[in-house]
Amino acid sequence: MPTTDAPADSARSATDATDAARALDDTVELRLTAELLPLLAEADLLGSPATWGSTDTPAGAFRLEPVRPGRDLGLLTGWMNDPEVAAYWELAGPAAVTAAHLRAQLDGDGHSIPCLGLLDGTPMSYWEIYRADLDPLSHHYPARPHDTGIHLLIGDGTNRGRGLGTTLLRAVAGLVLDNRPRCTRVIAEPDIRNTPSVSAFLSSGFRCYAELDLPEKRAALMIRERALRNLL
C-alpha cells in the first residue's frame, strides 16, 4: 500500500524549505557586491555552440555540437589513435586517455568546450572552442579580452588533403564572430611542423602573427580579425 508523509512531516519540510530559501537570499545579497558585479557579465564564458546553428559551406551544412562522452567517446578515441592525428594531439591509447582529456574541459570552469563538427549531420571533426584570453596561451602573446581560440582535427582520413580544412575553419571562425559579439579576434596555435594545418589557416583568412615557444610545441600564432572579416 502506498505511503504518504504525515502532516507533521509536511509542515516540517515546508519550514525547512522556507529557511533554506531565506538563507539563499541572504547569501546572494552578500555576494552581489560592487566588486563582483563585473564578473557576472563574464559568467557565461562562451555561451553554447549548440545554439549557434548551422552554416552553409561549399561542402554542405556544418554545425558544432558539444561532446557527450557517453555517446562520443568511442568515436573520438578512434580518431585520436589515427597516426596523423596522434602525431600532433599525442592522445593515442585506450579510451581512458581521451576521456581524461575531455573531462579536464567538462569539469573545468567552462572556458573550453569540446565539440563535434557535423557536416550534413555526420560527425567528421573534433573542435575545442576556448577563451584564449583566459587560457595559459595568454601568457605567450598580447591577448585581448574575449579572444576566442580554436583547436581542431578532421577525424576521417578520407576528408583530409582536399581543402576541407580551409572550408571548415572559415565556417567556424564565422560562427564564433557571429555569436560572440565581444570577440574581435579568433586565435589558433597549430604546431609549426604541421604544414597542412598552417596552410589551411592561412587559406581561410587567418594571418600568422608570430611563432611561439609553448611548453609542448613551437606554434604558429594564427589570428583572424573581425575588422578584416569581409576583406579576406
Side-chain angles (χ1 to χ4, degrees), residues 78-93:
W79 290 350
M80 293 300 181
N81 279 279
D82 182 306
E84 291 185 35
V85 172
Y88 297 105
W89 282 75
E90 299 180 348
L91 290 173

Side-chain angles (χ1 to χ4, degrees), residues 5-20:
D5 291 336
D9 292 336
S10 298
R12 189 178 302 112
S13 296
T15 300
D16 291 345
T18 300
D19 290 342

Side-chain angles (χ1 to χ4, degrees), residues 102-120:
L102 296 173
R103 186 56 56 195
Q105 298 174 80
L106 297 172
D107 289 349
D109 61 6
H111 91 267
S112 181
I113 301 176
C115 297
L116 288 179
L118 280 68
L119 191 60
D120 286 335

Side-chain angles (χ1 to χ4, degrees), residues 175-198:
L175 285 171
V176 169
L177 294 173
D178 285 342
N179 290 280
R180 304 206 65 245
R182 288 190 287 178
C183 169
T184 62
R185 305 190 301 180
V186 182
I187 308 293
E189 19 78 33
D191 192 307
I192 198 71
R193 300 169 300 160
N194 192 346
T195 303
S197 179
V198 172

Side-chain angles (χ1 to χ4, degrees), residues 190-209:
D191 192 307
I192 198 71
R193 300 169 300 160
N194 192 346
T195 303
S197 179
V198 172
S199 296
F201 278 104
L202 291 173
S203 298
S204 60
F206 287 76
R207 292 294 176 262
C208 184
Y209 279 74

Side-chain angles (χ1 to χ4, degrees), residues 119-130:
L119 191 60
D120 286 335
T122 300
M124 47 71 63
S125 54
Y126 172 70
W127 301 76
E128 292 172 355
I129 312 298
Y130 68 99

Side-chain angles (χ1 to χ4, degrees), residues 3 6 9 20 22 24 28 63-64 86 100 103 120 140 154 162-163 184-185 196 201 208 221-223 225 228:
T3 60
D9 292 336
R22 288 172 179 165
L24 179 59
V28 171
R63 65 184 175 88
L64 293 170
R103 186 56 56 195
D120 286 335
H140 299 273
I154 295 179
R162 54 189 185 91
T184 62
R185 305 190 301 180
F201 278 104
C208 184
L221 176 65
M222 313 298 294
I223 298 179
E225 301 269 2
L228 301 178

